[in-house]
Amino acid sequence: MASDWANLPQNLLHSVLERLPLLSDYLRFNIVCASWHSVAKHNKSRRAKTTTPMLLLQTRKRGTWSLYNLEEDKVLNLQLKIPNKRFCGSSKEWLIFVDKDLVVTLVNPFFRVKGRIKKENSIICLPPLNPQPLSREWFSKTNYFVFKATISADPILNANDYIVVVIYEAYCRLAFIRPGKDTTWTYVDQRWSLIEEVVPIRDKFYAIDRWGNLLSFDSVDQFKCNMESKADKTEQTSEKKYLVALNEKDFLMLERYATWDADSKRETMKFKVFKFSFVKCDWIEINNLGDVAIFVGDNSSIYVVASNDYGCQPNCIYFTHDHYRIRMDFKPWGPNDIGVYNIKTQSISQPFIEDAKTMMTLTNRPPIWIAPTF
């Protein structure tokens, strides 16, 4: 008699789920079928232990990606069927990319495991961006029209109440859309440009610009902008800035410093970390993240408590080779600027197994961090 795995009692499935020791076991449980996925999604105690980001790596096979699991320090034996695109965002378990017609697309890689039935709505296509002709001409010369993108909530669980925000074209301006309500993109006042990262917090989006100004945009009032701080400096002081929201009142800014050789090969040298003071309306440099680990790259910046997440080192920044708006071409050797920066020792290491390192060097598609939420 054939086993009816899909209709096993839910209390039995919950019992099995609680006994799974590894994140990869939980991932495999999650993709068995719809009923098992539902159990995994609603098991709050187990979900609370699965916040460690994974590194999405392109394989040699076009359109197929794998996952590197920090917890087990290995590349998982799973093949994810994802379009062969450059991802401009990774947020709430979804990847974001833009095609040649400027159509912004969301894809959930965990719904597209090879050998499994693809779940409904694993790919969501939004209306195309419609910039001015000069911007479109600029886009025709590169695949990096959208610098970075993020979403405010899961687009399946909150289909009528989520917002997609993109930082677009050479001047890094903002555009947003509410897919459940809007049919076209809204372009934020062009006075606000050279944006580096945007973070959603309740009804607001906070942003950091090239000079370190912290801005807030009201998503209820057509992205009306308030400047929370005004930087004194007018020169660019670092290669890249990242914004991390620990909660509604605690923000970190990371500055990434790198060098470039004659072949435009980039190498990160160090990071600086700043905490925002709403009292002083300024950034204060700090030298210790405590038990926190931060993951940065083309993904929306992620922080985790290292003592709760197996495989993470505390007081460290995990970084990938991401897009820099001026230098946008990858050479044939592939993305190379990947590692872990230890804030205490001010040193960089690459604590990845050889399989993962090899995969990173065999492609010109940079890996990207993705945090499974299931």
Side-chain angles (χ1 to χ4, degrees), residues 36-303:
W36 288 43
H37 171 75
S38 177
V39 169
K41 194 79 173 178
H42 292 90
N43 190 296
K44 295 182 179 180
S45 63
R46 188 62 180 88
R47 283 177 62 194
K49 304 174 185 176
T50 59
T51 57
T52 307
M54 293 183 173
L55 195 59
L56 192 66
L57 300 167
Q58 188 182 40
T59 69
R60 292 185 179 184
K61 188 174 181 181
R62 184 179 177 86
T64 302
W65 297 66
S66 292
L67 288 167
Y68 168 66
N69 183 9
L70 278 172
E71 178 183 336
E72 299 174 70
D73 191 25
K74 74 175 185 180
V75 178
L76 301 183
N77 187 26
L78 292 172
Q79 295 185 24
L80 309 178
K81 303 298 290 183
I82 309 170
N84 187 42
K85 301 288 186 179
R86 176 252 165 183
F87 302 119
C88 57
S90 169
S91 178
K92 307 294 189 294
E93 198 181 84
W94 290 75
L95 300 169
I96 307 167
F97 66 87
V98 181
D99 69 14
K100 63 180 180 180
D101 297 317
L102 301 187
V103 173
V104 178
T105 304
L106 314 179
V107 57
N108 190 315
F110 300 104
F111 290 178
R112 303 181 62 80
V113 179
K114 185 178 180 180
R116 306 289 181 180
I117 297 176
K118 294 183 178 65
K119 293 185 174 64
E120 186 179 1
N121 294 330
S122 64
I123 292 184
I124 300 173
C125 294
L126 303 176
L129 291 162
N130 187 27
Q132 298 300 312
L134 180 62
S135 295
R136 186 173 288 274
E137 179 183 355
W138 183 88
F139 173 76
S140 68
K141 301 175 183 178
T142 177
N143 292 321
Y144 293 82
F145 181 78
V146 170
F147 175 70
K148 201 165 190 177
T150 191
I151 59 177
S152 64
D154 186 293
I156 300 298
L157 300 179
N158 304 274
N160 296 315
D161 191 27
Y162 75 101
I163 302 174
V164 181
V165 180
V166 301
I167 304 171
Y168 70 96
E169 59 98 65
Y171 293 101
C172 293
R173 294 170 176 143
L174 290 179
F176 71 93
I177 190 170
R178 289 177 272 250
K181 303 173 183 177
D182 303 335
T183 57
T184 59
W185 290 84
T186 298
Y187 301 92
V188 179
D189 191 326
Q190 294 190 359
R191 288 178 299 169
W192 312 112
S193 60
L194 296 182
I195 302 296
E196 294 272 329
E197 184 157 19
V198 181
V199 175
I201 299 289
R202 293 188 181 271
D203 293 330
K204 288 185 177 182
F205 280 81
Y206 287 86
I208 193 78
D209 71 11
R210 190 62 179 160
W211 297 277
N213 296 311
L214 181 65
L215 313 172
S216 64
F217 296 87
D218 190 337
S219 62
V220 178
D221 190 17
Q222 291 295 299
F223 266 55
K224 181 180 179 181
C225 179
N226 291 311
M227 184 172 285
E228 304 291 343
S229 72
K230 183 173 177 58
D232 294 330
K233 49 198 175 188
T234 58
E235 297 181 357
Q236 298 181 6
T237 59
S238 63
E239 292 295 332
K240 216 42 200 302
K241 287 183 173 65
Y242 305 90
L243 183 62
V244 184
L246 303 180
N247 52 52
E248 294 180 45
K249 296 182 179 180
D250 292 316
F251 294 90
L252 299 180
M253 176 178 68
L254 276 59
E255 290 188 339
R256 180 176 180 172
Y257 295 82
T259 60
W260 303 78
D261 66 15
D263 294 320
S264 294
K265 187 176 181 180
R266 186 179 73 185
E267 181 181 4
T268 293
M269 305 304 294
K270 66 176 181 179
F271 282 84
K272 288 185 178 181
V273 182
F274 301 82
K275 186 173 183 179
F276 188 73
S277 168
F278 281 95
V279 175
K280 297 182 178 180
C281 293
D282 200 3
W283 294 102
I284 309 299
E285 186 172 2
I286 61 175
N287 298 309
N288 194 337
L289 287 174
D291 198 23
V292 167
I294 296 176
F295 295 76
V296 299
D298 283 323
N299 57 286
S300 294
S301 299
I302 306 166
Y303 86 93

